[in-house]
Every structure is written in C-alpha cells, then in structure tokens.
Amino acid sequence: MRVRPAIAAVLGAAALLCAAVGTAGADPAESITVDSTGVIAPDGTVVLSGTYRCAAGTGPVLVSASVSQGDPLHKYPIGGSEARCDGAEHRWENTGKVFPEALGAGPAHVEATLMELRPSGIVPLPAFHAVTEQDIALGQE
C-alpha cells in the first residue's frame, strides 16, 4: 500500500495552510534550502530539490514544497518526503505532477517547509523546523 505519498501530499497541503504560523521558536541550527533550478517534464511532472538540517523531534518530520509561476496565490504542491533529523545536512528531492501546461519552463517561486507532526491528543499538530522561499528556474526535461 502506498501510504507515504498520500500522507506526504496531505502534509504538504497542511504546511501550505499553516505557513502563516511561521517558525517561532525554531532552532537556528535547523534550515532548509532550495536548489536554484528545478525540472518540469512535458506531462507536468515537476522535480524540486535542496538540502535540510534538523534536530531530533518527537514525531515524523517531512519536507514539503510548493511552486508557483506568475500569480503567487496559485501554488502547486510538489510531493513530500520524510526527513531524517540527526543534526547533519541531508539532500531532499520531491516529485509531483501538476496539470499539463499549468507550469512551464522559466522563472518560478518555490516555498519549502521542514515540518514535524507532534503528538497532541487525538490530532497531531504541525511544528515548523524551517521554512524558506526562493526564486528558481524551471528547466524543461
């Protein structure tokens, strides 16, 4: 059963909705970066990547990313991946598919989030380790 991709997509959407909360109280040694280029295939598959560093958490930690072109209000979630929080720097790569022609080669804006789901009663609550935004170039595959 492919549970991780579904969970990652849901958490990516949650990260976008909760991004306004910010990273108050985040450890300054924790970070996330976005590579200056991404890739888009003709079928709408987008690949984004970068690095992250985080300390141990009490729940699962995920890397989510979204991309926009032109209108910053139209963000497209691009997959999600599980993070290993051991204080070391690691690479991340997320892949997701958008509607064909929703995005194209050229300048784009990416928001990447390193978010933990901390146990809190019945529903885990998001805790942000790091958030970054960066302008990148999407190249055609």
Side-chain angles (χ1 to χ4, degrees), residues 11-12 18 25 37 43 53 65-66 72 75 77-78 83 88 93 111 124-125:
L11 295 176
C18 298
T37 59
D43 70 352
R53 178 186 315 265
S66 65
K75 295 180 181 180
I78 305 301
E93 180 176 286
E111 180 178 306
L125 296 177

Side-chain angles (χ1 to χ4, degrees), residues 32-118:
I32 187 165
T33 69
V34 177
D35 290 342
S36 61
T37 59
V39 177
I40 185 164
D43 70 352
T45 300
V46 177
V47 179
L48 301 173
S49 58
T51 64
Y52 70 89
R53 178 186 315 265
C54 56
T58 57
V61 179
L62 300 164
V63 176
S64 65
S66 65
V67 63
S68 62
Q69 275 185 326
D71 185 351
L73 297 178
H74 287 96
K75 295 180 181 180
Y76 299 91
I78 305 301
S81 53
E82 192 171 347
R84 183 172 27 156
C85 292
D86 58 7
E89 184 173 88
H90 299 281
R91 297 271 319 149
W92 65 269
E93 180 176 286
N94 289 358
T95 302
K97 195 167 186 176
V98 298
F99 295 110
E101 300 169 17
L103 299 171
H109 186 77
V110 173
E111 180 178 306
T113 305
L114 191 57
M115 180 189 70
E116 177 181 354
L117 287 176
R118 289 194 178 145

Side-chain angles (χ1 to χ4, degrees), residues 20-33:
V21 173
T23 58
D27 183 339
E30 297 185 320
S31 63
I32 187 165
T33 69

